[in-house]
Each structure stands twice: as C-alpha cells, then as structure tokens.
Amino acid sequence: MSSEAPIYRVIFINQDQVFELYARHVYQSDMWGFLQVEDFVFGNRSELVVDPGEEKLKQQFADVKCSYIPMQAIIRIDEVTSEGVAKVSDAKGTVTVFPMPAPPKK
C-alpha cells in the first residue's frame, strides 16, 4: 500500500444530472442519511489542456469545505489509484432514487 491518502471517485445524482467527483475523504456523516465528502481533488492547473467542464466544477466547489450528499443520491463510490477528470452529465435512462418507506398514515 502507498503511504498517500486514498482517492475516491464519488458518482451521485443532483437535479437530473450525474456528478462524478474525486475526493480524499468519504465517510458516513453524523447527520442521519447523508454521506460526507471532503478534500476534493481536481486536475493539475499546470496541464496545457484545460477541460471547461472540470473548471466549472472546480469553481462550483472552490469554497466548499465539506459536502453532504443524501445516501439515496449515491450511484457508486470507487477507491482509485489516481484522480481522473471531474465531470457533470445529464442523467440518461431510468436512474431512480432508492425507494424509501411510505410515511405513516395519520
């Protein structure tokens, strides 16, 4: 194992879009039903080619210290060896949220 902190690819749905972000810390939040994501990892600014989609995400999450994502919005979490390109795409097909129990009747 490497001594570096692992990098996680977190894929989740937000407002009919699929977000793919990379972060160093992912764990269950103290707020019930939420996943806590911290220390976002974006591509290196020294690269000659800049992806405008990743730059938009980098600006959107620039001042975010920690993000709380609802568990039912999570599609997948992978531990990866290096960060990739963060991106947002439209949700295609039939991506639905995890079914929740119906509220009790009064």
Side-chain angles (χ1 to χ4, degrees):
M1 288 291 301
S2 173
S3 62
E4 291 184 26
I7 298 174
Y8 299 96
R9 177 176 47 214
V10 181
I11 304 171
F12 63 96
I13 296 175
N14 183 27
Q15 298 178 346
D16 295 330
Q17 292 184 318
V18 177
F19 281 64
E20 182 175 324
L21 296 174
Y22 293 83
R24 294 212 183 270
H25 304 286
V26 177
Y27 46 90
Q28 185 172 339
S29 169
D30 290 337
M31 288 190 296
W32 189 83
F34 286 84
L35 188 76
Q36 192 166 342
V37 181
E38 294 179 346
D39 199 8
F40 295 101
V41 178
F42 293 101
N44 200 344
R45 275 208 187 264
S46 65
E47 296 175 4
L48 294 175
V49 179
V50 176
D51 181 6
E54 185 178 30
E55 284 298 312
K56 183 179 176 182
L57 275 175
K58 191 184 284 189
Q59 290 174 355
Q60 184 176 350
F61 286 93
D63 295 331
V64 176
K65 178 181 173 185
C66 176
S67 187
Y68 298 92
I69 302 170
M71 292 279 193
Q72 65 268 22
I74 300 295
I75 296 173
R76 182 176 175 155
I77 300 172
D78 298 315
E79 184 175 342
V80 295
T81 55
S82 63
E83 76 268 6
V85 178
K87 55 188 165 190
V88 177
S89 57
D90 291 331
K92 297 177 184 167
T94 55
V95 179
T96 58
V97 297
F98 191 76
M100 299 297 287
K105 294 181 181 179
K106 292 183 179 181

